[in-house]
């Protein structure tokens, strides 16, 4: 019988689906194991062979754990809100829910074809109301919470209100807006309801505030920092500008330190931890106040607060620089400088923050005309503005120390701001510079001769005494903007009163479902697409959505028009999978108590500062409020590498429709153009006729071949539909089967590394599978035949060697080496002519995680009624590996003459007797009696004399 992968795979996929083989047990007495891969956004293009890499690895591990007796939860779902479906809706008018459904169905077919052991009964889709009810619920809980720095955790807003009523906010250590005023209990109690709400918004963990945002006019929406790459949108590459808008924000900064600390407790890849650490950007330093000096024009004094990581350099300050957006700029600028300052501020508003950060060459700035007093010497310090100082970092102002900071130095040089004489003519790179810098820093005497740390400590102490500074810790992490001006996202369960203050819907009214709209574009007045809905008002009495026409701001109010960002739905999905159909809670205490956390999470490193940071933040919040038992949800995380595609390029003669074969292009003016790599064979020859029908611009083109063939250039790059280098798993499953694809993806190389795809390599794993199959089919006419007798010691050794290696490899997520061990194993067993059940049965279980379809088929043929999925994992027995004999070198007077295979458990005397009895020994001795026989058991025998 031959290995008919098509029939076998279809049979078992149906079997698994019909019997729900991989449904996690609930409730269960077994120990739990939760294996998770990042759920996909179901795009219209479907899966390519790069996508399943992490899924296969995770599935192997999940299957392995099932054999080990764990109750395995391996769920799958869809991150199904998002931009592409909405863009498509804008172009075609099709409802994003419909296209999303179509795409999901296609994904599901492709996933099923690969034989994953998912518990599909737990599927989630973030765009389903029953799911996003809980995304809305978390938003409401965040709104209803504040961060108490004294207890270092989030608490219900009611405890904050109680504190305000009893003692105002004096002495309260809480995460809040930087400019929150101080008030007493009496003041609080005298506030109007609206004033109180406004004050509470400054403390809530999600709050509405005017914020500088990344606005992408082309996409018509705000983007998060991690969605902007090099000043353009990550999706589509459109320009992004800074703009002030009222937006929902998440006070993730309250968790900055805990997000850092938590990294020490989780087994995540170091590069990913580094990326999060840098993104959070902790800086230890001081905040220092410089008081402006009053002038005739501006009699008031203002505090300019700066953040510095080098308080020890305070005596080297020769000027100050404010960000152009700094609120004091207008107040302190002198009339003489007003014009220049206004022009400068306007010009820099046109540059994005990223541009400003990236640009280290251009020195630009302008003098405000104002001076501030040095907090320790009292000397006047000129105040400038410059766009190298960012409004959003620290306090948006710096004390400039040309002797310590390159940018300050360049700035001073450029504008001729006096720097202490001794620095003139010395470049910062020079060695002498550091000595001079130290001399200036030490200038005051009282910190002279101290190390940087101690000097900083003393400067801070001196500043504190004067009430002009204190030690602070600053984080680069910003609060996360949470509003998007899109249709296809979670609606906020929020309505607005006449004063424009937000109110939450009652919890029992969730989910607030997305309304229908005619158009998915922003409205003519620039409102988000939900502004097109005519039924998008909240009737607070009836507790129901109603027509906008009824809005009276008394009982009927307008609903929020923004929707939530892409990361909302993915920030708690791992907990929802534990109890996905619960409509009373996001997850029940019983379910979270049992499943607790994700044991292994596999996904792409591109989510380092997006999903993987936001989800940790929400988890910590959920933990603080007592809904989950752990504050890190994934103990172990693995970033799978990328599978790279091999793109094909042809050369177009510039300005023509003539294309040159690779060899002809040298020395010509040509542009390389990507073409469909599927039209190129293994010898890099392009099927030009197929190309003509691939895209219309090639229909009439001229192709110049060399020696009758048209050759392309190849380049290995990211596999992507836009690069025309994708390989579709469907074709491969068809031709070689899912088991071969699974083995091959693992065989390509270490999981974490990027590696190029090469379809030709599949035939190798395919013949391995056929060989494996043949081991069980050695009967007449290759029929199934397995013998019940004792296997040979050799075969047992091969089996146990493989069990040991493969088990160690799986535990280290080293799947490529397991595949080679299987290959060696099958070769050895074939050579040994092994046909015994005692070897072949455990082998089937061993390979099941990798090639589950074939394993099931063999298992059934071996006479089992049940699926192989929960068959116990073969136990490793080291006894079979112990070598029982040894090839002894037999020497005469130190010279090796021959070798003898002897049992290892012989005593010295027995060994000597056996050696002496051998004919070859007698021949060497030729009748002589040896003087001495030296026997080292397990090593050598030497006969002397
Ligand atoms: C004086 C000084 C002397 C500084 C010196 C550095 C070296 P990190 O580590 O990134 O936190 N700074 C502060 N706020 C800024 C802003 N909004 N835009 C641009 N630069 C800003 O760096 C903090 C340092 O960056 C601060 O310490 C400040 O310059 C500058 F020898 O103060 B320093």
């Amino acid at each position: 019988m031959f290995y008919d992968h098509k029939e076998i795979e279809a049979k078992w996929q149906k079997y698994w689906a019909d019997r729900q083989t991989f449904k996690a047990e609930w409730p269960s007495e077994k120990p739990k194991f939760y294996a998770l891969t990042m759920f996909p956004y179901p795009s219209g293009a479907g899966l390519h062979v790069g996508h399943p890499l992490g899924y296969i690895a995770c599935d192997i591990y999940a299957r392995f754990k099932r054999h080990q007796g764990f109750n395995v939860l391996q769920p799958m779902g869809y991150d199904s809100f998002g931009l592409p479906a909405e863009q498509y809706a804008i172009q075609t008018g099709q409802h994003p829910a419909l296209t999303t459904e179509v795409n999901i169905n296609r994904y599901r077919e492709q996933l099923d074809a690969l034989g994953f052991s998912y518990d599909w009964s737990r599927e989630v889709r973030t765009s389903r109301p029953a799911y996003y009810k809980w995304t809305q619920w978390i938003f409401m809980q965040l709104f209803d919470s504040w961060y108490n720095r004294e207890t270092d955790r989030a608490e219900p807003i009611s405890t904050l209100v109680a504190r305000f009523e009893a003692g105002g906010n004096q002495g309260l250590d809480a995460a809040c807006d930087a400019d929150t005023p101080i008030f007493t209990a009496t003041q609080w109690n005298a506030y109007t309801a609206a004033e109180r709400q406004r004050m509470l918004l400054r403390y809530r963990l999600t709050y509405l505030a005017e914020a500088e945002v990344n606005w992408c006019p082309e996409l018509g929406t705000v983007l998060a920092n991690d969605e902007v790459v090099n000043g353009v949108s990550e999706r589509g590459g459109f320009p992004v500008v800074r703009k002030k808008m009222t937006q929902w924000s998440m006070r993730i900064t309250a968790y900055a330190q805990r997000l850092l600390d938590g990294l020490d407790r989780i087994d995540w890849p170091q590069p990913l931890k580094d990326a999060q650490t840098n993104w959070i950007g902790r800086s230890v330093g001081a905040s220092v106040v410089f008081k402006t000096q009053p002038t005739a024009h501006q009699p008031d004094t203002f505090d300019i607060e700066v953040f510095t990581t080098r308080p020890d350099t305070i005596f080297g300050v020769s000027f100050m620089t404010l960000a152009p957006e700094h609120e004091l700029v207008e107040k302190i600028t002198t009339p003489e400088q007003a014009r220049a300052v206004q022009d400068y501020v306007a010009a820099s508003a046109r540059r994005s923050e990223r541009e400003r950060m990236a640009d280290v060459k251009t020195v630009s700035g302008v003098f405000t005309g104002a001076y501030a007093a040095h907090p320790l010497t009292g000397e006047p310090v000129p105040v400038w503005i410059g766009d190298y100082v960012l409004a959003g970092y620290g306090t948006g102002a710096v004390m400039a120390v040309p002797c310590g900071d390159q940018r300050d130095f360049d700035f001073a040089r450029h504008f001729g701001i006096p720097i202490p004489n001794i620095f003139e003519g010395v470049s910062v790179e020079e060695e002498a510079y550091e000595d001079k810098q130290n001399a200036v820093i030490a200038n005051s005497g009282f910190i002279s001769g101290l190390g940087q740390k101690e000097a900083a400590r003393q400067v801070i102490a001196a500043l504190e005494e004067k009430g002009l500074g204190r030690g602070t810790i600053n984080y680069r992490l910003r609060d996360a903007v949470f509003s998007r001006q899109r249709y296809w996202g979670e609606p906020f369960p929020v309505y607005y009163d006449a004063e424009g203050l937000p109110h939450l819907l009652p919890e029992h009214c969730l989910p607030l479902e997305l309304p229908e709209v005619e158009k998915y574009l922003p409205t003519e007045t620039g409102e988000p697409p939900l502004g097109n809905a005519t039924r998008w008002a909240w009737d607070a009495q009836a507790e129901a959505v109603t027509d906008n026409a009824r809005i009276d701001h008394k009982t009927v109010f307008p609903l929020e028009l923004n929707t939530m960002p892409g990361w909302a739905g993915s920030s708690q999905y791992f907990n929802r999978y534990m109890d996905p159909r619960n409509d009373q809670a996001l997850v029940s205490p019983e379910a979270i108590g049992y499943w607790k956390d994700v044991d292994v999470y596999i996904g792409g490193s591109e989510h380092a500062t997006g999903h993987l940071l936001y989800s940790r933040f929400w988890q910590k919040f959920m933990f603080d409020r007592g809904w989950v038992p752990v504050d890190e949800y994934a103990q172990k995380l693995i970033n799978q590498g990328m599978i790279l595609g091999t793109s094909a390029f042809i050369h177009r003669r510039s300005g023509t429709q003539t294309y040159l074969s690779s060899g002809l292009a040298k020395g010509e003016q040509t542009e390389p153009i990507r073409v469909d790599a599927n039209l190129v064979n293994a010898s890099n020859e392009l099927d030009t006729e197929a190309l003509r029908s691939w895209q219309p611009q090639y229909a009439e083109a001229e192709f110049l071949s060399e020696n009758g063939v048209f050759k392309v250039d190849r380049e290995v790059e990211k596999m992507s539909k836009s690069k025309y280098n994708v390989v579709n798993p469907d074709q491969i499953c068809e031709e070689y089967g899912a088991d071969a694809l699974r083995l091959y993806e693992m065989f390509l190389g270490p999981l974490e590394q990027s590696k190029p795809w090469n379809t030709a390599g599949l035939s190798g794993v395919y013949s391995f599978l056929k060989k494996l199959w043949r081991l069980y089919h050695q009967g007449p006419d290759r029929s199934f035949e397995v013998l019940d007798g004792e296997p040979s010691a050799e075969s047992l050794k091969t089996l146990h060697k493989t069990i040991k290696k493969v088990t160690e490899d799986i535990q280290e997520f080293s799947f490529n080496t397991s595949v080679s061990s299987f290959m060696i194993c099958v070769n050895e067993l074939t050579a040994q002519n092994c046909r015994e059940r005692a070897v072949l049965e455990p082998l089937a279980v061993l390979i099941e995680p990798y090639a589950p379809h074939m394993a099931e088929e063999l298992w059934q043929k071996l006479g089992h009624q049940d699926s192989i999925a929960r068959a116990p994992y073969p136990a490793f027995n080291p006894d079979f590996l112990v070598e029982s004999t040894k090839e002894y070198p037999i020497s005469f007077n130190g010279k090796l003459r021959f070798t003898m295979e002897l049992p290892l458990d012989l005593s010295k005397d027995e060994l000597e007797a056996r050696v002496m009895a051998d004919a070859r020994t007698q021949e060497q001795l030729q009748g002589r009696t040896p003087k001495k026989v030296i026997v080292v058991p397990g090593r050598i025998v030497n006969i002397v004399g």
Side-chain angles (χ1 to χ4, degrees):
M1 231 204 108
F2 304 91
Y3 168 47
D4 182 347
H5 67 258
K6 267 195 228 168
E7 195 190 310
I8 293 171
E9 293 187 351
K11 169 180 159 186
W12 289 102
Q13 283 162 15
K14 181 164 185 318
Y15 176 101
W16 296 329
D18 289 350
R19 289 173 215 227
Q20 302 213 21
T21 307
F22 305 114
K23 198 169 165 168
E25 273 176 36
W26 179 256
S28 172
E29 294 292 311
K30 290 185 185 170
K32 67 98 187 187
F33 192 87
Y34 186 0
L36 183 67
T37 27
M38 292 179 182
F39 63 169
Y41 172 79
S43 82
L47 294 176
H48 62 60
V49 293
H51 295 124
L53 183 73
Y55 303 164
I56 296 171
C58 192
D59 192 51
I60 289 174
Y61 207 79
R63 286 175 178 272
F64 166 66
K65 284 288 173 182
R66 243 178 244 116
H67 290 305
Q68 286 197 319
F70 287 87
N71 179 26
V72 172
L73 170 57
Q74 195 194 195
M76 190 35 113
Y78 305 96
D79 190 12
S80 50
F81 270 135
L83 264 180
E86 181 157 345
Q87 300 284 77
Y88 193 71
I90 292 169
Q91 286 158 21
T92 64
Q94 275 209 53
H95 198 291
L98 293 178
T99 48
T100 301
E101 172 95 25
V102 170
N103 294 348
I104 285 179
N105 292 340
R106 167 109 183 87
Y107 264 65
R108 178 63 193 270
E109 265 173 38
Q110 288 188 301
L111 291 171
D112 282 347
L114 291 170
F116 293 123
S117 62
Y118 295 137
D119 177 352
W120 281 110
S121 72
R122 291 172 183 260
E123 183 205 279
V124 300
R125 299 181 185 187
T126 57
S127 59
R128 278 212 174 129
Y131 179 91
Y132 67 65
K133 168 177 176 172
W134 297 104
T135 313
Q136 293 174 333
W137 176 84
I138 301 174
F139 169 84
M140 291 175 59
Q141 308 315 314
L142 285 154
F143 184 84
D144 248 335
S145 301
W146 63 292
Y147 199 88
N148 185 345
R149 289 199 197 281
E150 289 155 21
T151 55
D152 211 12
R153 62 187 180 86
E155 292 181 14
I157 205 86
S158 56
T159 65
L160 182 68
V161 173
R163 287 197 59 156
F164 288 171
E165 283 167 356
N169 65 354
Q170 285 159 317
L172 174 70
D173 196 4
C176 63
D177 294 357
D179 56 351
T180 304
I182 301 290
F183 54 85
T184 62
T186 325
Q187 283 171 309
W188 170 262
N189 293 322
Y191 283 162
T192 63
E195 282 167 335
R196 286 183 194 171
Q197 281 311 317
R198 259 183 221 114
M199 193 55 74
L200 288 177
L201 272 176
R202 295 170 168 277
Y203 289 86
R204 294 184 189 276
L205 287 184
T206 184
Y207 60 98
L208 205 53
E210 180 156 274
E212 278 244 329
V213 294
N214 304 306
W215 173 251
C216 178
E218 210 85 21
L219 292 173
T221 191
V222 159
L223 298 173
N225 282 341
D226 65 284
E227 294 169 321
V228 183
V229 178
N230 299 328
V232 298
S233 62
E234 192 189 17
R235 268 183 197 281
F238 302 117
V240 173
V241 293
R242 306 285 297 167
K243 188 174 161 181
K244 276 209 160 162
M245 284 176 76
T246 299
Q247 300 281 300
W248 286 103
S249 275
M250 286 281 161
R251 215 177 287 281
I252 186 173
T253 49
Y255 284 89
Q257 190 59 47
R258 283 172 63 192
L259 286 167
L260 279 179
D261 296 341
L263 292 174
D264 295 336
R265 290 184 276 116
I266 47 181
D267 180 8
W268 287 23
Q270 196 56 42
L272 201 153
K273 288 187 182 183
D274 293 345
Q276 292 206 345
T277 304
N278 291 336
W279 189 260
I280 296 168
R282 182 181 199 260
S283 287
V284 180
S287 118
V288 185
V289 174
F290 287 69
K291 287 186 177 300
T292 58
Q293 296 186 328
T295 59
H297 168 71
Q298 177 53 278
D300 293 337
T301 293
F302 299 97
D303 285 356
I304 303 180
E305 193 179 344
V306 303
F307 172 70
T308 175
T309 44
R310 294 288 307 274
D312 57 305
T313 65
I314 198 158
F315 297 103
V317 172
S318 36
F319 62 102
M320 304 183 68
T321 316
L322 308 186
E325 300 87 345
H326 197 285
E327 55 166 11
L328 288 180
V329 169
E330 213 179 301
K331 297 192 176 117
I332 62 172
T333 300
T334 58
E336 302 77 48
Q337 290 298 99
R339 181 83 240 175
V341 167
Q342 272 161 23
D343 288 350
Y344 184 74
V345 170
S348 60
R350 288 192 288 272
R351 304 216 309 160
S352 77
E353 182 168 320
R354 270 173 197 263
E355 225 176 303
R356 283 162 54 173
M357 264 158 73
D359 180 7
V360 286
K361 286 196 208 83
T362 329
V363 178
S364 81
V366 59
F367 182 42
T368 62
Y371 289 83
H374 188 288
L376 295 181
T377 66
E379 295 283 314
V381 178
V383 182
W384 285 67
I385 59 176
D387 72 2
Y388 74 101
V389 178
L390 305 173
Y393 186 66
T395 59
V398 304
M399 58 181 219
V401 185
C403 60
D405 185 279
Q406 180 69 48
R407 291 204 132 187
D408 296 342
F409 181 81
D410 295 343
F411 197 90
R413 264 286 162 79
H414 188 83
F415 292 108
I417 303 169
I419 354 186
N421 273 337
I422 59 167
F423 286 109
E424 279 309 333
V426 191
S427 128
V428 218
E429 279 87 38
E430 284 174 36
E431 238 172 76
Y433 180 85
E434 202 175 318
D435 298 339
K436 300 197 173 199
Q437 174 187 335
N438 287 337
V440 170
I441 291 166
N443 151 26
S444 92
F446 88 97
I447 58 168
S448 103
L450 301 174
Q452 184 183 317
K453 262 206 179 137
E454 183 53 21
R457 217 184 53 74
Q458 298 211 10
V459 167
I460 292 171
L463 289 166
E464 271 172 356
E465 211 176 283
K466 294 191 158 201
L468 291 175
R470 68 203 151 85
T472 50
I473 294 170
N474 212 7
Y475 298 91
R476 185 160 285 120
L477 183 70
R478 296 280 72 112
D479 279 346
V481 177
F482 196 67
S483 304
R484 294 291 182 277
Q485 294 65 48
R486 310 299 314 189
Y487 175 74
W488 195 229
E490 298 86 351
F492 286 87
V494 167
Y495 64 88
Y496 291 92
D497 65 19
E499 304 217 31
L501 283 168
H503 296 267
L504 296 182
L505 264 54
E507 215 171 284
H508 67 264
C509 296
L510 297 184
L512 173 64
E513 291 194 31
L514 262 179
E516 293 305 319
V517 291
E518 295 251 308
K519 289 190 308 174
Y520 302 101
L521 285 169
T523 66
E524 255 125 58
T525 50
E527 282 172 337
L530 292 192
N532 292 313
T534 53
R535 226 181 129 69
W536 196 238
W538 186 249
D539 183 335
Q541 259 169 4
E543 299 196 327
V545 175
T546 185
D547 287 338
N548 296 0
R550 292 189 49 227
I551 293 173
D552 59 6
H553 287 107
K554 293 193 183 83
T555 58
V556 178
F557 303 94
L559 282 160
E560 168 70 62
L561 300 181
N562 289 292
T563 54
M564 297 185 195
W567 58 268
S570 56
S571 293
Q572 276 291 299
Y573 79 116
F574 38 86
N575 286 329
R576 185 66 182 162
Y577 275 139
M578 298 175 188
D579 195 9
R581 305 291 168 252
N582 189 341
D583 63 359
Q584 299 302 310
L586 184 131
V587 52
S588 68
E590 297 77 44
I592 191 96
Y594 175 75
W595 294 110
K596 198 170 123 223
D597 56 6
V598 176
D599 293 281
V600 61
Y601 192 22
I602 300 186
S605 58
E606 67 275 21
H607 301 290
T609 54
H611 161 61
L612 290 174
L613 197 61
Y614 298 130
S615 53
R616 292 183 59 223
F617 155 45
W618 277 24
Q619 178 77 4
K620 288 184 189 303
F621 166 70
M622 293 283 289
F623 172 78
D624 287 355
R625 295 293 313 271
W627 292 301
V628 297
V630 285
D631 77 338
E632 290 291 345
Y633 67 89
Q635 281 311 313
K636 179 166 184 70
L637 182 128
I638 298 176
N639 291 133
Q640 83 272 14
M642 236 188 301
I643 287 193
L644 305 169
T646 311
S647 305
F649 290 86
I650 58 174
H651 302 271
R652 180 173 61 199
R653 189 174 276 159
S654 297
T656 70
Q657 277 302 318
T658 302
Y659 297 88
L660 309 180
S661 180
S662 165
L664 305 175
K666 316 243 146 61
E668 283 240 21
Q669 266 292 84
T670 60
E671 297 101 42
I673 296 172
R674 277 195 197 83
V675 294
D676 187 354
N678 291 305
L679 307 179
V680 181
N681 69 13
S683 313
N684 296 337
E685 294 161 11
L686 175 70
D687 181 344
T688 48
E689 282 318 300
L691 188 70
R692 286 186 196 281
S693 44
W694 178 59
Q695 279 184 354
Q697 74 266 32
Y698 299 113
E700 302 298 325
E702 185 184 9
F703 293 99
L704 302 184
S705 306
E706 31 181 343
N707 309 325
V709 292
F710 190 97
K711 291 220 170 199
V712 300
D713 283 340
R714 316 277 332 223
E715 206 172 289
V716 171
E717 48 184 359
K718 187 179 169 180
M719 191 174 279
S720 145
K721 193 182 160 209
S722 64
K723 296 188 163 66
Y724 306 124
N725 61 4
V726 298
V727 179
N728 188 316
D730 306 3
Q731 285 158 16
I732 295 190
C733 283
E734 178 76 16
E735 203 171 330
Y736 300 99
D739 285 348
L741 179 70
R742 293 168 64 105
L743 278 168
Y744 185 59
E745 294 229 354
M746 293 300 105
F747 191 53
L748 276 178
L751 180 61
E752 297 87 346
Q753 279 174 21
S754 292
K755 49 237 157 187
W757 179 265
N758 176 12
T759 302
L762 262 153
S763 56
V765 290
Y766 191 62
S767 34
F768 158 73
L769 282 172
K770 286 196 287 194
K771 230 175 179 177
L772 173 67
W773 181 258
R774 274 207 295 276
L775 264 184
Y776 297 76
H777 292 84
Q778 300 186 66
D781 291 334
R782 294 217 171 149
S783 63
F784 177 82
E785 189 178 86
V786 166
L787 310 179
D788 281 327
E790 237 338 87
S792 72
E794 262 186 310
S795 295
L796 283 169
K797 188 173 158 192
T798 299
L799 173 70
H800 284 271
K801 185 178 73 178
T802 312
I803 295 177
K804 180 168 191 283
K805 178 78 170 87
V806 166
T807 313
E808 283 167 2
D809 286 349
I810 289 198
Q811 273 158 350
E812 311 241 293
F813 295 90
S814 173
F815 303 114
N816 57 321
T817 49
S818 302
V819 178
S820 10
S821 304
F822 283 127
M823 291 177 171
I824 295 169
C825 171
V826 169
N827 282 342
E828 288 182 6
L829 295 179
T830 307
Q832 294 155 12
N833 204 13
C834 172
R835 295 157 80 172
E836 286 77 19
R837 173 181 294 271
V839 170
L840 297 184
E841 200 163 89
L843 178 64
V845 179
L846 208 55
I847 205 162
E848 187 271 350
Y850 294 81
H853 306 86
M854 186 189 282
E856 287 277 20
E857 184 71 16
L858 295 172
W859 194 245
Q860 194 179 53
K861 289 183 164 205
L862 284 160
H864 298 276
Q865 303 296 321
D866 282 347
S867 156
I868 193 174
R870 288 179 183 81
Y873 197 72
F876 166 62
N877 183 347
D879 295 348
F880 293 117
L881 296 201
V882 177
E883 302 279 348
S884 54
T885 60
K886 154 107 190 145
E887 187 92 349
Y888 275 93
I890 314 294
S891 304
F892 291 81
N893 296 323
K895 278 206 186 76
L896 175 71
R897 294 297 177 198
F898 57 92
T899 62
M900 265 180 88
E901 174 106 13
L902 290 167
L904 269 168
D905 53 3
L906 293 185
S907 70
K908 262 186 166 184
D909 291 345
E910 285 167 331
L911 276 170
E912 184 174 335
R914 294 274 285 263
V915 172
M916 291 310 290
D918 196 272
R920 288 170 293 181
T921 307
Q922 294 312 318
E923 191 186 314
Q924 289 288 334
L925 289 172
Q926 297 193 337
R928 280 175 284 133
T929 311
K931 284 199 196 109
K932 208 159 68 177
V933 179
I934 305 166
V935 179
V936 186
R939 305 281 297 278
I940 52 152
V941 177
N942 188 16
I943 298 164
V944 185

